[in-house]
DNA sequence: ATTACTGCAAACGCTTTGCAAATAT
DNA sequence: ATATTTGCAAAGCGTTTGCAGTAAT
């Protein structure tokens, strides 16, 4: 089964890449719909799955919530905001994360690991500041 | 709002603790239903949420799949099997994981982190060995 | 010409919710 | 007595799928 570069697929890829965020399927759908009003949400889902299987984009399955898709398919870590759920890429040289050599833990053969750091992003910190002031 | 120790809640807690696995809501429901046939799945969901909010059990939200609940609410990491999705607790002294002092990465205020190690559990390794032999 | 892909609508799996009745405090 | 909790059924959400038609190779 060879991939065909349909208009839909091309636009989905272009939007994801130019947007440079970690969008969910429906966020992406909202943007794409403006460029191609008749596209269906199912097409977006299907293409995101196909593109990530093909290694052209990354798929983020973070902790029980909606999947997000990453314009950057290379191996890297993420940081996400506990408040607004936005996700950012983490710099490669993030130390203390290189223990793939955890080796065999509890008899498991370790094939990979995922480090998720939870925090509050600058924007939400600012918002919280504002709210605090509003409450006074 | 103070917690009431209903029969339902007590049984849910007891099953989770005695089972000592990381069960999903419906796995737990299946077990509990044998002891209390008229209990509803919604009650199980509600109680698991309440109990984890109260810090009496832990909630595991792993990568886009079903939530699992942990009899042990203390802070620790998990290892899960990429094949059968079973989850085990990780020993505390797992080194290289103590970098809560990643500090302020990208302007985020870091409130926590989650390390998910992906591997294949002993049982599944054994099964794969068997299958390999079967294929020959 | 062939076969991957599309849009639509309907179904899916897991989880949450509104309600009136039941029960723990 | 009074609030929390229950069971039920229905709705919710994100996602997937069957289908007949459309379009890329």
């Amino acid at each position: 089964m060879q991939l065909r570069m349909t208009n839909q697929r091309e636009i989905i890829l272009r939007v994801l890449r130019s947007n440079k965020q970690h969008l969910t399927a429906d966020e992406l759908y909202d943007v794409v719909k403006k460029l191609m009003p008749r596209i269906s949400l199912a097409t977006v889902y299907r293409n995101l799955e196909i593109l990530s299987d093909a290694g052209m984009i990354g798929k983020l399955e973070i902790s029980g919530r909606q999947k997000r898709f990453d314009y950057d398919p290379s191996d890297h870590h993420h940081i996400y905001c506990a408040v607004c759920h936005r996700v950012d890429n983490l710099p490669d040289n993030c130390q203390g994360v290189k223990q793939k050599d955890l080796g065999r833990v509890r008899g498991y053969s370790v094939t990979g690991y995922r480090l998720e750091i939870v925090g509050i992003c600058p924007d939400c910190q600012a918002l919280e500041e504002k709210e605090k002031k509003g409450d006074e």
Side-chain angles (χ1 to χ4, degrees), chain A:
Chain A
M1 171 177 142
Q2 78 216 5
L3 287 200
R4 290 180 183 174
M5 193 45 70
T6 60
N7 292 333
Q8 289 84 336
R9 186 162 297 161
E10 204 196 322
I11 289 183
I12 288 168
L13 204 48
R14 195 168 67 229
V15 167
L16 189 61
R17 283 180 177 158
S18 65
N19 191 299
K20 281 207 189 299
Q21 285 178 55
H22 299 78
L23 299 171
T24 61
D26 60 297
E27 285 168 355
L28 210 129
Y29 174 61
D30 285 342
V31 180
V32 167
K33 214 169 28 178
K34 286 175 190 153
L35 305 169
M36 184 180 264
R38 303 221 39 187
I39 199 173
S40 111
L41 181 55
T43 299
V44 174
Y45 271 105
R46 275 190 283 235
N47 274 300
L48 288 171
E49 212 52 47
I50 289 169
L51 290 170
S52 78
D53 282 353
M56 298 174 73
I57 62 175
K59 181 169 25 167
L60 269 82
E61 309 187 52
I62 293 187
S63 297
R65 50 185 65 263
Q66 248 179 304
K67 284 179 198 158
R68 291 182 177 274
F69 294 85
D70 193 340
Y71 56 93
D72 178 4
S74 73
D75 203 18
H76 59 275
H77 294 288
H78 298 95
I79 183 164
Y80 79 95
C81 177
V83 178
C84 71
H85 307 135
R86 112 178 198 192
V87 179
D88 281 320
N89 289 340
L90 226 42
D92 244 14
N93 54 5
C94 178
Q95 62 151 339
V97 179
K98 314 226 165 199
Q99 281 78 354
K100 232 171 197 156
D101 25 274
L102 277 158
R104 317 195 108 251
V105 188
R106 291 223 168 182
Y108 278 70
S109 69
V110 174
T111 59
Y113 60 94
R114 181 177 357 228
L115 177 66
E116 291 174 6
I117 301 173
V118 183
I120 301 177
C121 75
D123 296 356
C124 286
Q125 286 178 50
L127 268 175
E128 286 189 348
E129 284 300 323
K130 243 187 218 166
E131 275 171 21
K132 229 179 260 172
K133 281 192 181 158
D135 290 347
E136 281 163 22

